[in-house]
């Protein structure tokens, strides 16, 4: 099995492990609060971003050709190997 790229490793960590604040999970994998994840081009949730909705996956970012589309630094760049930060949200 081929090794995952850095972006794929980051995405796998995001999808497989919920972010925890205190003792309350912010992402449970079920519909409700904090069910979607935004992948940002910049550090500290800056720059352009794309949304990964609850229940969806991107198994191969390199093949997907997905690009950052929202306004900000990195708009139009490939998501593959360019995810610098992420956050969980109610909807995006």
């Amino acid at each position: 099995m081929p090794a995952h790229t850095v972006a794929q490793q980051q995405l796998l960590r995001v999808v497989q492990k919920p972010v925890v604040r205190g003792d309350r999970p912010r992402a449970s994998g079920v519909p409700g609060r904090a069910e979607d994840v935004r992948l940002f081009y910049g550090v500290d949730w800056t720059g352009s971003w794309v949304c990964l909705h609850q229940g969806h996956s991107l198994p191969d970012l390199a093949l997907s050709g997905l690009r950052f589309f929202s306004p900000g630094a990195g708009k139009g760049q490939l998501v593959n190997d360019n995810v610098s930060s992420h956050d969980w949200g109610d909807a995006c």
Side-chain angles (χ1 to χ4, degrees):
M1 185 169 180
H4 293 292
T5 66
V6 172
Q8 289 169 330
Q9 291 170 1
Q10 290 173 337
L11 182 58
L12 287 171
R13 283 194 300 269
V14 168
V15 173
Q16 293 172 350
K17 182 178 178 185
V19 175
V20 177
R21 179 178 288 172
D23 61 351
R24 294 182 3 180
R26 291 183 60 211
S28 64
V30 296
R33 293 190 48 90
E35 65 185 18
D36 299 329
V37 63
R38 290 186 299 174
L39 307 173
F40 289 88
Y41 180 80
V43 297
D44 297 324
W45 315 300
T46 61
S48 189
W49 57 272
V50 296
C51 184
L52 182 60
H53 294 283
Q54 188 268 338
H56 294 179
S57 66
L58 296 170
D60 192 334
L61 288 174
L63 289 178
S64 75
L66 183 64
R67 294 180 180 271
F68 290 99
F69 60 86
S70 67
K75 181 177 180 178
Q77 296 294 316
L78 289 171
V79 173
N80 188 52
D81 289 334
N82 285 317
V83 175
S84 298
S85 57
H86 73 278
D87 73 352
W88 293 94
D90 295 338
C92 45

